[in-house]
């Protein structure tokens, strides 16, 4: 009998994946990601990036239901950190549609993931506009602060209209934002506003 996943009751597996920006916590169901983020304990003061760190699973729950999603996410993250030039050829890891479904935040996350690729930036205001709510720059800021899919929904590519970086993780991890932007080739004291 074909199994059907009840959208409201996903069977979620968790794992921890090493990366150049530290360990990433991943939660995933068969439909896709529920969560991907650095630990809450990672803040600017203790951020110690290591560009040579491999991306691999270092700890995983026994559950096997979302193995394929986890494997794809690890492969995608490896490409992001170590072969970024190949990233545009890869589809984004699936995000479970139940996360943020029917909300403004969810819409903004999807638009950002879809339209703003590596090495590109967008302003809060522009992202509000492409999300169909011009003038909602502040709400976009909130959507970024609550983004559950770090890197995959690239909130680090959302910067201020004047070209300054803006906050990351409500200002607690601005160093991480800068590292990610530099990793993508966006450098300088003032980030130039590149549209793609
Ligand atoms: Zn799910």
């Amino acid at each position: 009998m074909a199994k059907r996943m009840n959208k409201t009751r996903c069977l979620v597996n968790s794992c921890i994946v090493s990366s150049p920006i530290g360990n990433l916590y991943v939660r995933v169901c068969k439909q896709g990601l529920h969560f991907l983020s650095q630990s809450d304990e990672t803040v600017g003061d203790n951020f110690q990036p290591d560009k040579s760190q491999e991306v691999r699973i270092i700890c995983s729950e026994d559950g096997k239901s979302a193995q394929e999603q986890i494997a794809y996410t690890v492969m995608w993250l490896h490409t992001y950190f170590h072969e970024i030039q190949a990233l545009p050829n890869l589809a984004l890891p699936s995000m479970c549609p139940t996360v943020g479904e029917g909300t403004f935040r969810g819409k903004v996350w999807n638009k950002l993931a879809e339209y703003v690729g590596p090495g590109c930036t967008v302003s809060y205001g522009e992202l509000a506009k492409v999300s169909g709510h011009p003038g909602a720059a502040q709400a976009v800021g909130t959507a970024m602060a609550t983004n559950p899919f770090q890197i995959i929904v690239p909130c680090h590519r959302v910067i201020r209209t004047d070209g300054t970086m803006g906050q990351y993780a409500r200002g607690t991890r601005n160093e991480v934002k800068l590292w990610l932007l530099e990793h993508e080739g966006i450098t300088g004291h003032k980030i130039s506003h590149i549209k793609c």
Side-chain angles (χ1 to χ4, degrees):
M1 194 197 295
K3 277 186 190 171
R4 283 185 68 86
M5 180 61 66
N6 182 335
K7 282 177 80 180
T8 57
R9 297 186 65 183
C10 300
L11 185 59
V12 177
N13 287 164
S14 301
C15 67
I16 301 173
V17 175
S18 62
S19 89
I21 60 166
N23 289 345
L24 300 171
Y25 292 76
V26 181
R27 299 182 68 227
V28 64
C29 79
K30 269 187 179 175
Q31 297 187 99
L33 288 166
H34 276 240
F35 181 81
L36 191 158
S37 179
Q38 291 170 287
S39 153
D40 282 347
E41 285 133 37
T42 305
V43 290
D45 288 345
N46 62 21
F47 177 52
Q48 293 186 310
D50 174 5
K51 208 135 196 167
S52 66
Q53 177 62 56
E54 283 178 41
V55 176
R56 56 190 161 86
I57 297 171
I58 54 172
C59 179
S60 181
E61 274 184 355
D62 289 339
K64 303 279 187 227
S65 65
Q67 285 295 330
E68 272 181 40
Q69 299 283 5
I70 291 172
Y72 189 84
T73 302
V74 168
M75 189 273 287
W76 189 93
L77 286 168
H78 164 81
T79 306
Y80 176 80
F81 284 112
H82 297 295
E83 296 169 27
I84 195 165
Q85 69 286 353
L87 200 68
N89 303 325
L90 283 184
L92 285 170
S94 304
M95 294 172 267
C96 180
T98 64
V99 184
E101 192 174 32
T103 64
F104 176 70
R105 302 177 295 178
K107 197 171 174 183
V108 174
W109 297 335
N110 283 320
K111 287 284 177 196
L112 178 58
E114 197 177 335
Y115 290 116
V116 187
C120 305
T121 57
V122 67
S123 72
Y124 293 91
E126 284 164 344
L127 185 53
K129 213 165 162 184
V130 297
S131 301
H133 292 78
Q138 203 169 349
V140 164
T142 305
M144 297 302 95
T146 55
N147 172 22
F149 307 112
Q150 189 177 6
I151 302 171
I152 289 167
V153 170
C155 56
H156 61 282
R157 296 182 196 137
V158 185
I159 63 171
R160 293 201 178 112
T161 312
D162 66 3
T164 55
M165 198 173 70
Q167 292 191 336
Y168 198 53
R170 298 185 192 277
T172 60
R173 288 183 210 151
N174 293 348
E175 289 80 355
V176 178
K177 184 171 187 172
L178 186 61
W179 190 95
L180 292 170
L181 290 171
E182 288 184 348
H183 172 64
E184 296 182 11
I186 302 168
T187 54
H189 175 65
K190 217 176 176 190
I191 297 156
S192 57
H193 193 190
I194 305 160
K195 290 186 196 175
C196 297

